[in-house]
Amino acid sequence: MGWHGHLELHYRRQGARTIALDRHDGPLRVLQRLYPEGEGICHHVLVHPPGGIVGGDTLAVDVRQDPGTHAVITTPSATRFYRSAGPVAVQQVRAHVAQDARLEWLPLESIAYNACQARNELHFDLAPGAQMLGWDMLALGLPAAGLAFEQGCVTQHVEWPGVWLERGHLDARDTLLLDSPVGLAGQRVMGTVWLATGSAWPAAQRAELLELTRTHIAASPLAARVGVTSPNERLIVCRSLAPMVEPVFALWQSIRALWRQQAWGLAPVAPRIWAM
């Protein structure tokens, strides 16, 4: 039988402070609240003590933010989808961000081990005035260790009802997708970072954010495999392909810093766990 972990996080205002109430069931925890940026911004680290997800496991995280709260959520290490004899390993995140609240969803990478059967889902809703800065990084196999992704499947699902819906299915047997120049071109790490708002940006602000991001990307070693677009007036999305996770993580951190400063007027304060 698989393990089922469920974590609920409810962010509230207590005066000028963003506090969080948490409830958990199964092997999923959150560490103590941290305030490296002052009382208004709560930093949290999610912890899964078993260290990986196997077939039949389900990890579910529900985030609910009250108006005016700001939460920064990350993880201390990669999420590992291990090999499976058939059952699917599932990670599912749901976030409901209220008016004028901000959510930063910044997990470290997910690793799809050879022969895994994995589904990674993110669902979020943004009220008018709410904003979300989030990212995702997926590594197929362990390139640095020479352990290829030769069997198994990974499904990636992102949904913002009425605004953004994508579902990608990666099958290790689909060499045309994985190795073709019109597919992943032999790259085994994919990344997405986005900035979303519940109310449309003014056209000039959105255009400025896009131009600044493109200029920033042009100076990156990954520039040839990175692109940014704005599919609608409430969303900016940047994507990258790479042979390893580290350059994608470094680029996403720098884009986060850029967007934080330009869109929110905030300094690029990184979660402390990233420095360990």
Side-chain angles (χ1 to χ4, degrees), residues 150 171-181 183-186 188:
E150 299 175 332
D171 190 322
R173 299 169 297 179
D174 190 350
T175 55
L176 186 62
L177 172 63
L178 297 183
D179 298 325
S180 166
L184 303 188
R188 291 299 182 261

Side-chain angles (χ1 to χ4, degrees):
M1 293 180 62
W3 283 23
H4 293 262
H6 185 210
L7 176 66
E8 295 181 12
L9 295 171
H10 179 196
Y11 294 91
R12 303 164 54 187
R13 294 286 291 190
Q14 190 175 77
R17 190 178 183 89
T18 295
I19 65 169
L21 304 178
D22 64 273
R23 297 180 62 184
H24 70 266
D25 181 21
L28 199 55
R29 303 287 191 276
V30 66
L31 300 183
Q32 70 179 57
R33 303 190 299 267
L34 299 173
Y35 296 92
E37 304 183 69
E39 294 187 337
I41 304 176
C42 177
H43 285 228
H44 253 154
V45 179
L46 305 186
V47 177
H48 180 229
I53 312 175
V54 301
D57 286 359
T58 298
L59 297 184
V61 180
D62 287 312
V63 178
R64 180 159 57 97
Q65 290 187 245
D66 286 359
T69 57
H70 187 157
V72 178
I73 304 175
T74 189
T75 59
S77 61
T79 297
R80 294 170 170 82
F81 290 100
Y82 291 131
R83 65 179 298 137
S84 170
V88 177
V90 179
Q91 178 175 258
Q92 185 179 81
V93 178
R94 295 185 180 274
H96 301 275
V97 187
Q99 184 175 5
D100 298 324
R102 291 173 179 165
L103 171 62
E104 296 183 66
W105 173 252
L106 311 172
L108 298 189
E109 71 273 15
S110 298
I111 301 174
Y113 279 66
N114 189 43
C116 74
Q117 298 290 331
R119 188 167 79 245
N120 194 14
E121 299 182 4
L122 172 63
H123 305 255
F124 63 92
D125 290 305
L126 301 181
Q131 294 188 328
M132 179 182 185
L133 196 165
W135 69 38
D136 178 80
M137 296 173 284
L138 173 66
L140 300 175
L142 297 169
L147 300 176
F149 183 64
E150 299 175 332
Q151 302 177 59
C153 297
V154 182
T155 298
Q156 296 270 98
H157 181 102
V158 179
E159 183 172 357
W160 178 10
V163 183
W164 184 20
L165 174 63
E166 65 176 66
R167 187 177 179 88
H169 183 71
L170 300 168
D171 190 322
R173 299 169 297 179
D174 190 350
T175 55
L176 186 62
L177 172 63
L178 297 183
D179 298 325
S180 166
V182 296
L184 303 188
Q187 306 298 300
R188 291 299 182 261
V189 175
M190 295 165 287
T192 303
V193 61
W194 63 90
L195 182 62
T197 176
S199 301
W201 279 298
Q205 183 183 12
R206 183 161 61 116
E208 182 183 21
L209 283 169
L210 278 170
E211 185 59 32
L212 288 170
T213 306
R214 289 179 179 131
T215 301
H216 185 81
I217 289 170
S220 167
L222 294 179
R225 297 191 183 277
V226 184
V228 62
T229 187
S230 179
N232 60 61
E233 60 190 4
R234 291 194 281 166
L235 180 65
I236 296 174
V237 180
C238 184
R239 301 184 191 277
S240 176
L241 292 174
M244 308 289 288
V245 168
E246 289 76 10
V248 177
F249 184 41
L251 179 58
W252 279 189
Q253 289 183 76
S254 66
I255 290 176
R256 172 188 178 246
L258 174 68
W259 286 351
R260 260 182 151 239
Q261 180 180 8
Q262 294 299 319
W264 298 344
L266 294 176
V269 178
R272 295 175 183 175
I273 197 74
W274 293 352
M276 296 181 179

